[in-house]
């Protein structure tokens, strides 16, 4: 992402922020975007995110994906990453594009319950997997315990890394290895939070772990 | 990313027949490094063959002894396998020190073996790089070379080999099994990687289209007493500035045999034969460690920004040996 895009996105954010934010407390607003994965409220600002600059060689293949329990078929270029397929083809914009090079973790989703970086995953390699994005964590209108813990512990500021943090934290719980503070921090090191909410993210994960015990 | 055609392998034989002799065809496993390089236009294959359907995911004891690991085993599955933790701890520790849980869930053993350097000039096509574009020059040589190699470099390339896993595999005398149109090969890891010399684009002894199918870890008297230590700029999720993999077989106070490998400092996973020679037959004490570590770095050739790595690697190796003494 170049500086131009960053500036443009920042500008749009300031415009859009007024709408959902009005008459809503910050915590309620964050609760909404955590649950909805920001699908509705802040989607417009993300339309400027660059995908592929090269000329498309056509939607030449069919890719079958199982996402959040729903089977979907897309026609796409084989180059499409799972991240771009989710966001651009399936309009599941809860999963975020950060660095697009596997260095920040914003794009983390679960494939068969295991956390992966969707930005470095070719979508066509995941046609047999059950993909879970942040949109698929809540069940029957109730937040996933990890989503609720993130709200309860104020485990974010800007919220951009949050869908990836939450999916990664769910993956950590599924793995069941990280127990101590040090182990949890190490195990969450693939998710960068530029606001520096790490302590509260740690608290949220420990809260879910203690409930599970 | 350059456009490519995509096919899915149905069996190993047809996959290697399709790829035989072709440098423009790539096998894809986890894709963590390849897709990244394709995004950067450093890798521009015309065709990808998805090898994930191939039956190369087993971790099992082979009838001849030793652990047999399929090339498609994910890094996380290998690191956390009870037999690896119990019998080859250095390998588990090295794997867990690399990348992030997300990447380890994706990355395969075969892909890790073929991981490309993280030299920033290799990644950035605005700069010259002999490894990426042969004979174009090396921007690292007189550039910012803090992360670069002090061992095994040439006047064409000083790119560091980035893998942690491979350093452990060198200390374990791993054997890489391959299959190509001319048959199967068993390649000891010590002779798998090439130093850059005058052809830094050629990094290993694989033929174009040859497929890594398995890795074998021999039964060894030293593997169980082994340790990996990694030093880097951040606590986690960063490549090594220096690392050491050490395995020792003891006979009372005396070292019967030793394996020493260094990471983060070499153009390939670096086997420190000179250090092994000093350790073999010696008494396990601090003086021996110091002498061995000095020997390991004897041939080091620093550049403007990375002379600190000599002392860092030396201390990292001493620290690793001391850990094994304590354990």
């Amino acid at each position: 992402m170049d500086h131009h895009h960053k500036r443009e996105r920042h500008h749009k954010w300031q415009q859009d922020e007024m709408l959902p934010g009005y008459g809503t407390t910050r915590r309620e607003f964050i609760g909404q975007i955590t649950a909805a994965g920001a699908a509705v409220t802040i989607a417009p600002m993300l339309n400027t995110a660059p995908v592929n600059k090269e000329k498309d060689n056509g939607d030449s293949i069919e890719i079958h994906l199982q996402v959040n329990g729903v089977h979907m078929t897309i026609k796409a270029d084989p180059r499409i990453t799972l991240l771009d397929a989710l966001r651009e083809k399936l309009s599941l914009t809860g999963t975020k594009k950060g660095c697009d090079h596997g260095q920040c973790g914003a794009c983390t989703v679960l494939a068969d319950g295991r956390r992966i970086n969707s930005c470095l995953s070719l979508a066509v390699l995941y046609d047999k997997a059950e993909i879970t994005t942040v949109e698929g964590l809540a069940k029957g209108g109730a937040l996933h315990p990890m989503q609720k813990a993130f709200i309860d512990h104020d485990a974010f500021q800007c919220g951009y890394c949050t869908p990836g943090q939450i999916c990664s934290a769910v993956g950590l719980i599924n793995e069941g290895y990280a127990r101590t503070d040090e182990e949890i921090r190490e195990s969450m090191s693939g998710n960068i939070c530029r606001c520096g909410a790490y302590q509260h993210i740690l608290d949220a994960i420990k809260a879910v772990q203690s409930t599970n015990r | 990313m350059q456009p490519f055609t995509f096919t899915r392998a149905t069996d190993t034989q047809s996959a290697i027949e399709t790829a035989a002799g072709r440098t423009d065809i790539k096998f894809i496993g986890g894709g963590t490094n390849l897709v990244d390089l394709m995004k950067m236009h450093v890798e521009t294959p015309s065709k990808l063959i998805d090898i994930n359907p191939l039956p190369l995911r087993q971790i099992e004891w082979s009838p001849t002894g030793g652990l047999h690991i399929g090339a498609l085993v994910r890094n996380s599955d290998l690191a956390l396998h009870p037999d690896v933790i119990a019998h080859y701890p250095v390998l588990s520790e090295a794997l867990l020190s690399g990348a992030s849980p997300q990447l380890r869930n994706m990355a395969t053993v075969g892909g890790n073996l073929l991981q490309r350097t993280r030299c920033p000039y290799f990644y950035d096509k605005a700069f010259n790089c002999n490894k990426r574009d042969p004979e174009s020059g090396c921007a690292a040589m007189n550039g910012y070379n803090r992360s670069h190699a002090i061992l095994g470099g040439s006047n064409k390339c000083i790119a560091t080999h980035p893998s942690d896993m491979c350093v452990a595999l060198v200390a374990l005398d791993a054997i890489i099994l391959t299959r190509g149109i001319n048959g199967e090969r068993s390649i000891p890891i010590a002779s798998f990687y090439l130093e850059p010399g005058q052809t830094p684009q050629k990094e290993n002894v694989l033929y174009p289209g040859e497929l890594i199918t398995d890795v074998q870890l021999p039964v060894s008297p030293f593997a169980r007493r082994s340790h990996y230590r990694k030093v880097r700029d951040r606590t986690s999720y960063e490549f090594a500035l220096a690392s050491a993999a050490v395995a020792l077989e003891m006979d009372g106070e005396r070292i019967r045999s030793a394996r020493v490998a260094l990471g983060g400092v070499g153009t390939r996973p670096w086997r420190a034969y000179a250090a092994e020679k000093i350790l073999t037959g010696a008494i396990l004490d601090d003086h021996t460690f110091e002498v061995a570590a000095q020997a390991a770095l004897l041939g080091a050739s620093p550049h403007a920004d990375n002379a600190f790595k000599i002392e860092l690697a030396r201390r990292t190796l001493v620290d690793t040996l001391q850990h094994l003494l304590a354990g």
Side-chain angles (χ1 to χ4, degrees):
Chain A
M1 185 188 322
D2 59 26
H3 287 294
H4 173 70
H5 279 109
K6 268 189 192 155
R7 268 205 305 279
E8 194 176 338
R9 289 168 64 168
H10 184 64
H11 179 60
K12 288 208 172 202
W13 165 248
Q14 286 174 329
Q15 287 177 341
D16 296 341
E17 190 183 33
M18 304 308 288
L19 303 172
Y22 185 74
T24 309
T25 68
R26 178 176 175 275
R27 178 158 294 205
E28 283 164 355
F29 170 61
I30 295 290
Q32 288 161 14
I33 71 163
T34 311
V40 181
T41 42
I42 58 171
M45 76 167 186
L46 296 163
N47 288 340
T48 53
V51 186
N52 280 319
K53 285 181 192 140
E54 292 80 4
K55 188 175 168 293
D56 205 294
N57 67 349
D59 290 348
S60 57
I61 58 169
E62 257 189 15
I63 305 174
H64 303 278
L65 292 170
Q66 186 84 11
V67 184
N68 300 329
V70 181
H71 181 261
M72 313 199 192
T73 302
I74 61 170
K75 277 186 174 289
D77 185 298
R79 289 177 291 179
I80 196 167
T81 60
L82 182 57
L83 173 62
D84 286 340
L86 292 169
R87 293 182 54 85
E88 309 294 331
K89 296 282 184 182
L90 303 175
S91 298
L92 290 168
T93 51
T95 307
K96 296 291 178 274
K97 182 178 280 197
C99 68
D100 211 23
H101 290 280
Q103 298 175 6
C104 78
C107 68
T108 302
V109 300
L110 300 165
D112 295 326
R114 293 160 62 115
R115 42 185 167 159
I116 60 167
N117 296 113
S118 62
C119 74
L120 290 183
S121 307
L122 291 182
V124 69
L125 298 185
Y126 285 84
D127 67 339
K128 298 278 194 301
E130 169 62 48
I131 305 295
T132 305
T133 69
V134 71
E135 290 96 337
L137 292 176
K139 292 280 180 277
L143 290 181
H144 185 283
M146 192 62 76
Q147 289 174 306
K148 184 161 186 324
F150 266 62
I151 295 168
D152 291 346
H153 292 269
D154 207 12
F156 38 66
Q157 287 184 44
C158 83
Y160 194 81
C161 73
T162 308
Q165 298 277 3
I166 290 176
C167 284
S168 188
V170 171
L172 178 153
I173 300 283
N174 291 347
E175 291 156 14
Y177 294 104
R179 287 291 169 195
T180 65
D181 286 13
E182 197 184 348
E183 287 166 356
I184 294 169
R185 285 181 185 278
E186 162 63 32
S187 189
M188 289 297 291
S189 67
N191 294 82
I192 310 295
C193 170
R194 227 40 312 164
C195 302
Y198 297 111
Q199 182 60 46
H200 290 189
I201 292 169
L202 176 67
D203 293 343
I205 293 170
K206 285 164 70 178
V208 173
Q209 283 185 329
S210 62
T211 315
N212 287 353
R213 251 173 221 156
Chain B
M1 208 185 290
Q2 294 273 359
F4 57 83
T5 57
F6 177 86
T7 56
R8 189 155 278 159
T10 49
D11 62 279
T12 307
Q13 187 59 31
S14 61
I16 59 174
E17 280 172 11
T18 306
R22 297 278 296 267
T23 53
D24 63 322
I25 296 180
K26 294 276 179 190
F27 299 119
I28 185 165
T32 55
N33 193 201
L34 180 59
V35 171
D36 199 20
L37 289 166
M38 287 167 66
K39 287 185 180 189
M40 302 299 287
H41 291 248
V42 175
E43 294 276 14
T44 54
S46 67
K47 184 197 268 289
L48 288 186
I49 301 176
D50 174 17
I51 56 169
N52 286 289
L54 301 181
L56 304 172
R57 290 173 185 269
Q58 77 291 352
I59 303 175
E60 59 195 18
W61 294 101
S62 73
T64 53
L67 200 62
H68 195 92
I69 302 157
L72 289 171
V73 170
R74 264 49 190 176
N75 282 194
S76 47
D77 293 331
L78 185 59
L80 298 170
H81 194 278
D83 288 335
V84 175
I85 294 171
H87 297 275
Y88 305 94
V90 66
L91 178 57
S92 179
E93 292 166 358
L95 283 161
L96 291 176
S97 78
S100 67
Q102 287 97 316
L103 291 167
R104 293 196 293 268
N105 279 341
M106 300 165 69
T108 64
V109 169
N112 195 327
L113 284 165
L114 299 179
Q115 186 177 177
R116 310 293 305 274
T117 182
R118 258 58 183 190
C119 172
Y121 301 109
F122 171 71
Y123 262 74
D124 189 340
K125 292 197 79 170
F127 291 92
N128 290 335
C129 172
N130 288 321
K131 187 185 280 298
R132 189 185 63 237
D133 301 309
E135 302 302 325
S136 65
C138 172
M141 213 62 77
N142 296 308
Y144 184 58
N145 46 40
R146 180 172 179 272
S147 68
H148 288 75
I150 52 173
L151 291 162
S154 72
N155 63 345
K156 297 279 190 195
C157 183
I158 51 171
T160 308
H161 195 278
S163 172
D164 296 294
M165 181 193 82
C166 298
V167 182
L169 290 181
V170 165
L172 294 172
D173 290 341
I175 296 163
I176 298 166
L177 307 184
T178 70
R179 196 163 150 191
I181 45 162
N182 295 321
E184 298 178 353
R185 291 203 287 166
S186 301
I187 308 167
I189 194 165
S191 51
F192 182 77
Y193 293 104
L194 302 171
E195 288 181 17
Q198 297 304 298
T199 53
Q201 71 277 14
K202 184 137 180 60
E203 297 174 355
N204 57 58
V205 299
L206 288 180
Y207 302 120
E210 192 174 10
L211 180 70
I212 296 175
T213 56
D214 311 87
V215 172
Q216 268 189 337
L217 300 181
V219 172
S220 84
F222 43 77
R224 198 184 278 262
R225 193 181 185 122
S226 63
H227 182 52
Y228 189 72
R229 176 90 161 96
K230 178 175 179 179
V231 180
R232 45 189 156 172
D233 280 330
R234 299 188 291 211
T235 311
S236 179
Y237 200 13
E238 180 60 280
F239 293 97
L241 288 170
S243 71
V246 178
L248 297 178
E249 179 197 6
M250 299 304 299
D251 179 10
E253 290 287 286
R254 210 164 277 281
I255 302 167
R256 183 177 288 163
S257 64
R259 290 290 181 279
V260 179
L262 299 176
V265 290
T267 53
R268 57 176 184 161
W270 197 260
R271 175 102 178 250
Y273 293 101
E276 292 176 6
K277 203 171 166 189
I278 285 164
L279 291 170
T280 304
I283 298 286
L284 205 60
D285 64 17
D286 283 343
H287 175 71
T288 305
F289 298 164
E290 293 288 344
V291 177
Q294 290 282 4
L297 276 304
L298 256 189
S301 160
H303 297 268
D305 304 309
N306 66 1
F308 75 98
K309 280 193 175 188
I310 298 176
E311 181 63 9
L312 187 66
R314 198 188 63 72
R315 292 189 193 189
T316 303
L317 179 50
V318 169
D319 186 78
T320 312
L321 286 160
Q322 283 171 339
H323 174 96
L324 284 174
L325 173 63

